[in-house]
Amino acid sequence: MSRVVVIVGATSGIGRATARAFAERGDRLVLAARAAETLAEVRAECPDVDVLTVPTDVTGPGALDALADAAVDRFGRIDVWVHTAAVMAYGRFDELPERVFDQVVRTDLLAAAGAARVALRHFRATGAGTLILTNSVLGYITAPYMSAYVASKWGLRGLARAVQQELRDSPGIRLCLVNPGSVDTPVYRQAANYLGRIGRPPPPISGPQRVARAIVDCVDRPRREISVGRLNAVMRVGFTVVPGLYDVLVGPLMRLAGLSGQSVAAHDGTVFAPNPAGEAVRGGYLPDLRQLARSLPGPAGAVLRRRLG
């Protein structure tokens, strides 16, 4: 029997790739994000499954409760809740407007906590369910010019660990924390920016489909946490074992690899409102291998298509 999967943040990046991945498995979907028009596009990308779209601002009072109620009204239950909604802001901490910093924390940490609270309430009523929170390698290390995002992700990791401890008496309910490194999504260009240079994902970069596969796999094989990114472990070791050296290097590396040379005027990005024109699965930092596979004739294309699913 197909599962009922709620995906919050479903219109762009990891969330949109995750919606497609669950749709390919035949699961029934409840897709939530701020932009109703983009939700309609994602629904059209999942044509063979039953999909409910619920325009949702996760920071709105009662919005997550209303989302859960809509899912239960339509499908009778919730089996999986995936929370990927997040915004980002670049800027020195003392130069980032307080309202921007607070809204990033409100979206990335407090709304994730609210989603967990709502999902766990439903799971406890049935005795089973899987909650998947999307965190970041920046929940384990730090980087300059991203203070609001880093603070939120460190807080989310602490929250997840505490809740996992509380769930030890509920073996049918699982909380999984997925920690991507750099991912090819539009979030960097959509970020608020008070630094003057547009951000970008530092290499090595993973595709959003890779993170989506890890999320789907967490439903079949639940784990406390999973890391997606080739250098995540190396960065975590460096941050912990040689913190002085890490702090010397991280600033120059961030300016070299994590920021583009393109200048930009100060703006709020999508912190307070969505930008449907900028929403997509990919950010354009990696070649689209799926499109390449479709264009390649003969055995080479067939092999690549099989490898990419």
Side-chain angles (χ1 to χ4, degrees):
M1 184 170 61
S2 65
R3 296 163 298 200
V4 177
V5 182
V6 175
I7 303 173
V8 186
T11 52
S12 196
I14 294 170
R16 193 162 180 168
T18 300
R20 294 178 179 180
F22 277 111
E24 289 173 359
R25 296 170 59 94
D27 292 316
R28 291 172 287 176
L29 305 180
V30 181
L31 306 180
R34 292 178 293 182
E37 56 268 48
T38 317
L39 280 173
E41 294 176 7
V42 182
R43 180 175 185 170
E45 294 168 2
C46 307
D48 299 323
V49 296
D50 196 352
V51 179
L52 171 67
T53 59
V54 184
T56 303
D57 182 343
V58 295
T59 65
L64 292 163
D65 283 302
L67 170 60
D69 290 344
V72 173
D73 287 344
R74 174 69 169 267
F75 297 116
R77 68 181 197 276
I78 300 171
D79 299 312
V80 180
W81 188 298
V82 181
H83 192 87
T84 69
V87 293
M88 189 183 290
Y90 289 96
R92 295 180 183 273
F93 170 70
D94 55 317
E95 297 175 354
L96 192 66
E98 181 178 349
R99 60 185 178 80
V100 174
F101 184 97
D102 290 355
Q103 186 69 5
V104 172
V105 174
R106 188 174 295 117
T107 302
D108 295 2
L109 175 57
L110 298 183
R117 188 178 298 114
V118 170
L120 291 174
R121 188 180 304 135
H122 283 266
F123 295 160
R124 287 196 183 276
T126 62
T130 302
L131 169 63
I132 301 173
L133 300 177
T134 306
N135 197 35
S136 170
V137 69
L138 288 175
Y140 296 82
I141 65 173
T142 58
Y145 318 126
M146 302 181 71
S147 56
Y149 188 80
V150 169
S152 300
K153 295 304 183 180
W154 276 68
L156 184 58
R157 176 166 63 96
L159 171 68
R161 183 66 179 270
V163 174
Q164 286 169 338
Q165 293 165 351
E166 294 172 1
L167 288 173
R168 289 179 63 84
D169 61 352
S170 304
I173 303 174
R174 306 298 294 267
L175 191 163
C176 306
L177 194 65
V178 176
N179 301 301
S182 294
V183 184
D184 179 22
T185 78
V187 69
Y188 307 92
R189 292 194 185 95
Q190 298 272 70
N193 199 304
Y194 286 83
L195 191 62
R197 291 172 60 186
I198 295 177
R200 63 185 178 189
I205 305 169
S206 300
Q209 293 86 356
R210 183 182 174 194
V211 185
R213 289 194 296 270
I215 290 172
V216 172
D217 188 56
C218 280
V219 178
D220 297 330
R221 298 188 301 124
R223 282 153 288 173
R224 294 170 63 85
E225 65 175 82
I226 183 171
S227 178
V228 183
R230 291 191 296 276
L231 288 185
N232 287 10
V234 174
M235 290 187 289
R236 289 171 61 174
V237 168
F239 181 83
T240 304
V241 176
V242 285
L245 179 61
Y246 179 95
D247 287 351
V248 168
L249 295 176
V250 68
L253 288 174
M254 178 66 179
R255 290 188 289 272
L256 176 66
L259 299 172
S260 73
Q262 186 176 356
S263 62
V264 63
H267 65 89
D268 290 345
T270 58
V271 169
F272 295 98
N275 173 30
E279 294 181 326
V281 172
R282 303 165 58 84
Y285 302 100
L286 288 175
D288 189 341
L289 295 180
R290 289 179 181 269
Q291 183 175 350
L292 175 62
R294 289 192 293 268
S295 65
L296 283 177
V303 170
L304 185 55
R305 284 191 290 273
R306 283 197 300 271
R307 286 183 175 271
L308 293 174

